[in-house]
Amino acid sequence: MHIRKTYFNASRLGHALLASALATGLALGITPAQAAYPEKPITLIVPFPAGSGTDSVGRIFAEELSKELGQPIVVENKPGANATIAANHVARAKPDGYTLFVTTNTSHSAAPWLMKNVSYDPVKDFTPIARGGNLPFILVTNPDRPYKTVSELIEHARANPGEITYATGNSTGIVAGGRLATATDTSMLHVPYKGTPQALTDLVAGEVDFMFTDLTSGTPFVNSGRLHAMAVSTAARSNLLPDLPSMEEAGVTDFDINSWNGYFGPAGMDPEIVNTLNAAINKVVNNPDTKARLAELGFDAFSGTPEEFSTFVKEQYELWGKWIREANLLPE
């Protein structure tokens, strides 16, 4: 009897201590989900090859987020099929916060319009966590080509219909190239690649004539003289490259294409875990040293709330659909 009574009292004491701890945590605004997460390493899925802009940026975020969250973050590349291979993987993962997705407009704004058999819903199958920032794109050409400005490129394309080739390694490049041809009423030949690194290699070798590439991937080639930059792919100049004209300044009206970057998890994630991750991402982008480090790669880092990101994703999905239809890019 004495042993059973002691056990019972110890059990009651344990429950009392647990209740007290929970009450203290709640009083401090800490929920059980927040207190427990993360308890093990997190996998960050990247939908593009190693060396791509998203990969380079994602690895810096992984390093800094690991410091904020106190757990290792393992980067795993799953490239191919306009980022849909990685997107499908994440959409079907357990929504426990241990499989995250750093992606761009490729998987969530463009691929559902460019491909016939996308088996995920870019809105319903994911939990938006936070924006990461923007990857501005630049129009670059092989320096041996006779055209050095956008207007000269357009004139050459009109004089030689169907002869100028442009490489693409992602959906932003596909839409930007198609929109340029449509907006200027020119005929250009599209040469698709599985990723940006491969496309840049052939552009430097002179196998293709030009491409739209992200600053992160393209800037080293421009700085070394292996490629020539003609414009940024937006209506206004970029603060990261203030001396480079915008497409609007170069004479192509209504041209404003940017590559956004953001973080998702599978649908159904615990809101408290989402808030924990969002707070950590905001700390990373607001760290002046990290922001400067990302800027050196050509990445404009900023973030916001999960709700703002969710609204943004929906709006971008419709906008990219409009651009793709106007460029007559048929689903493949």
Side-chain angles (χ1 to χ4, degrees), residues 15-272:
H15 285 300
L17 290 172
L18 178 59
S20 175
L22 288 174
T24 302
L26 291 172
L28 294 173
I30 302 172
T31 69
Q34 285 177 305
Y37 178 84
E39 295 181 306
K40 60 182 181 179
I42 297 167
T43 299
L44 180 64
I45 303 297
V46 177
F48 304 112
S52 64
T54 303
D55 175 75
S56 300
V57 169
R59 289 179 185 275
I60 291 178
F61 267 88
E63 178 185 335
E64 297 303 320
L65 284 173
S66 178
K67 298 175 186 177
E68 295 292 338
L69 297 171
Q71 289 288 348
I73 296 182
V74 180
V75 175
E76 183 177 343
N77 297 85
K78 287 187 175 294
N82 281 328
T84 59
I85 292 174
N88 276 312
H89 174 82
V90 175
R92 286 155 178 74
K94 188 177 180 180
D96 56 5
Y98 292 101
T99 300
L100 304 180
F101 191 28
V102 56
T103 189
T104 69
N105 42 278
T106 293
S107 61
H108 278 63
S109 304
W113 300 101
L114 291 172
M115 303 177 69
K116 292 180 179 179
N117 299 312
V118 173
S119 59
Y120 61 86
D121 187 301
V123 175
K124 295 179 181 179
D125 291 340
F126 298 88
T127 298
I129 297 171
R131 286 284 296 276
N134 282 336
L135 273 166
F137 269 55
I138 52 175
L139 174 55
V140 293
T141 187
N142 186 290
D144 293 334
R145 297 301 189 264
Y147 31 83
K148 304 303 178 185
T149 66
V150 175
S151 61
E152 290 174 355
L153 169 65
I154 295 169
E155 289 176 8
H156 194 90
R158 286 175 177 161
N160 303 275
E163 292 186 11
I164 286 188
T165 57
Y166 66 94
T168 64
N170 51 50
S171 67
T172 303
I174 293 172
V175 175
R179 190 163 177 78
L180 176 62
T182 301
T184 58
D185 193 26
T186 54
S187 175
M188 303 177 185
L189 180 62
H190 176 206
V191 183
Y193 288 81
K194 291 183 178 180
T196 297
Q198 300 95 321
L200 284 167
T201 297
D202 274 8
L203 181 60
V204 170
E207 298 296 327
V208 287
D209 297 315
F210 77 91
M211 72 179 289
F212 286 91
T213 182
D214 59 272
L215 283 182
T216 307
S217 302
T219 298
F221 292 93
V222 174
N223 290 342
S224 66
R226 288 176 289 173
L227 291 178
H228 171 69
M230 291 190 280
V232 293
S233 64
T234 47
R237 294 194 181 206
S238 168
N239 292 329
L240 299 176
L241 283 177
D243 295 331
L244 198 62
S246 68
M247 291 295 287
E248 290 275 356
E249 289 178 299
V252 185
T253 58
D254 195 27
F255 198 106
D256 190 12
I257 296 178
N258 213 336
S259 176
W260 58 261
N261 169 291
Y263 292 79
F264 296 85
M269 284 180 62
D270 187 315
E272 298 301 336

Side-chain angles (χ1 to χ4, degrees), residues 284-307:
V284 169
V285 300
N286 289 322
N287 182 311
D289 292 337
T290 306
K291 198 175 185 73
R293 187 179 171 195
L294 290 164
E296 289 178 359
L297 291 178
F299 185 78
D300 182 14
F302 58 87
S303 193
T305 68
E307 294 76 18

